Amino acid sequence: MSITTSKKKNPQQGTFSLLKKLTESLKVVTGSAAIFVGAQFLAMILLGIFLSAAGGFDAAKIENLLTDSILTQFVLVLMIEALVVAGVWVMVQFYDRKLKTVFNLQKPTLSLLWKVVKVFLLYLLVSWAAMLLISQTLPRVDTEMEQDIGFKNAAGWQLSIVFLALCVAVPIGEELMFRGLLFKGLNRYVGYLIAATITTLLFGAAHLEFIGGKPLNWAAGIDTAILSVFLIKLYKRTGTITAPIMLHALKNSLAFVFLFLVK
């Protein structure tokens, strides 16, 4: 004879568990947003202080440098991405985990590169089809609006540092931030679908270019949202953050070629 016992679920425990998940998810979102936005403002403040103290530049001169100087823009991008990575590291330490263990950083391999290339080609096809459909059904949306990434009129040796900024620094910082910290953090509490949706919407919104007083860049927002879907799928399939970093770098490299080399 065996005796079985069953534990009744306490509704209060279920409610408490749900509230805890929502609270932790909110911490992940707000923390990620604070890192992403804060890094940009802090980098500009620190760079402005340095230029003012070391070079004696006034506010107008500093603004001109940020607009016209390729080297100054390069330093700013490096500072922003370095602060993003530092912020991600601090937040990961808050959860008592090592950065490499959390994101499973691996060395790039030919096998991994082949997986990235296949996903990249599929992304290009889906993005092209989506833009074509939007241009036909929503004519008010400018699907050909160029993304303002700075580095205007870069030429010669300057192209090498532009490439390092856009195709190396940015993919590393943004992938650790969005697919690593944000998506993986949310996935722990709300599941894959909700985590992927929130991450994709925020990643797309981050590229709408709110600053500058110009119309929102829906083309960039939609394209990066589509890219985010493939970045997340690739991250989930491979289990390493290296894969989405490579895909992001490949996408930015293609954009670099058309924006700076093919004119």
Side-chain angles (χ1 to χ4, degrees), residues 7-255:
K7 294 182 180 179
K8 294 183 178 180
K9 292 184 178 180
N10 189 334
Q12 292 183 344
Q13 288 182 341
T15 302
F16 176 76
S17 177
L18 177 60
L19 288 175
K20 184 177 180 180
K21 288 181 179 180
L22 292 175
T23 301
E24 293 301 321
S25 298
L26 185 60
K27 286 181 181 179
V28 172
V29 172
T30 55
S32 299
I35 292 170
F36 184 74
V37 177
Q40 298 182 57
F41 281 102
L42 183 57
M44 292 186 68
I45 292 172
L46 292 176
L47 184 58
I49 292 174
F50 174 78
L51 291 174
S52 178
F57 299 118
D58 58 18
K61 180 63 175 178
I62 292 173
E63 185 176 352
N64 289 334
L65 284 173
L66 291 173
T67 303
D68 303 325
S69 171
I70 303 299
L71 184 58
T72 303
Q73 293 175 40
F74 171 70
V75 172
L76 179 62
V77 171
L78 289 190
M79 290 179 66
I80 290 173
E81 300 309 327
L83 288 170
V84 166
V85 173
V88 170
W89 181 84
V90 170
M91 196 161 179
V92 167
Q93 295 305 308
F94 178 76
Y95 287 99
D96 297 323
R97 298 193 178 195
K98 293 182 179 179
L99 191 65
K100 186 175 181 180
T101 304
V102 172
F103 302 142
N104 190 21
L105 287 165
Q106 296 180 2
K107 292 182 180 179
T109 63
L110 289 177
S111 174
L112 190 60
L113 177 60
W114 176 235
K115 292 178 182 178
V116 168
V117 170
K118 289 191 291 185
V119 173
F120 177 64
L121 294 175
L122 183 58
Y123 148 73
L124 288 179
L125 178 62
V126 172
S127 180
W128 171 80
M131 291 301 177
L132 181 62
L133 179 62
I134 291 172
S135 65
Q136 296 297 320
T137 58
L138 300 172
R140 292 187 178 182
V141 177
D142 185 0
T143 56
E144 297 182 0
M145 184 176 181
E146 285 191 6
Q147 189 175 358
D148 185 7
I149 58 175
F151 301 107
K152 293 180 179 178
N153 302 318
W157 67 270
Q158 296 173 334
L159 293 175
S160 62
I161 63 174
V162 174
F163 180 85
L164 288 174
L166 299 180
C167 306
V168 179
V170 170
I172 292 174
E174 291 193 351
E175 290 314 304
L176 288 176
M177 167 78 238
F178 283 96
R179 256 57 58 182
L181 180 63
L182 181 58
F183 167 72
K184 192 158 188 179
L186 286 174
N187 188 40
R188 188 183 302 129
Y189 300 111
V190 296
Y192 175 82
L193 185 59
I194 296 177
T197 301
I198 294 174
T199 301
T200 294
L201 290 175
L202 291 179
F203 189 61
H207 291 80
L208 287 175
E209 299 176 5
F210 292 95
I211 301 174
K214 297 184 295 184
L216 294 180
N217 194 334
W218 288 105
I222 294 169
D223 178 67
T224 50
I226 294 171
L227 177 64
S228 178
V229 173
F230 288 92
L231 290 166
I232 291 171
K233 292 290 290 185
L234 186 62
Y235 186 22
K236 186 174 185 290
R237 181 181 302 173
T238 61
T240 173
I241 196 68
T242 305
I245 289 175
M246 292 170 65
L247 176 57
H248 197 150
L250 188 57
K251 188 266 183 184
N252 282 14
S253 296
L254 181 64

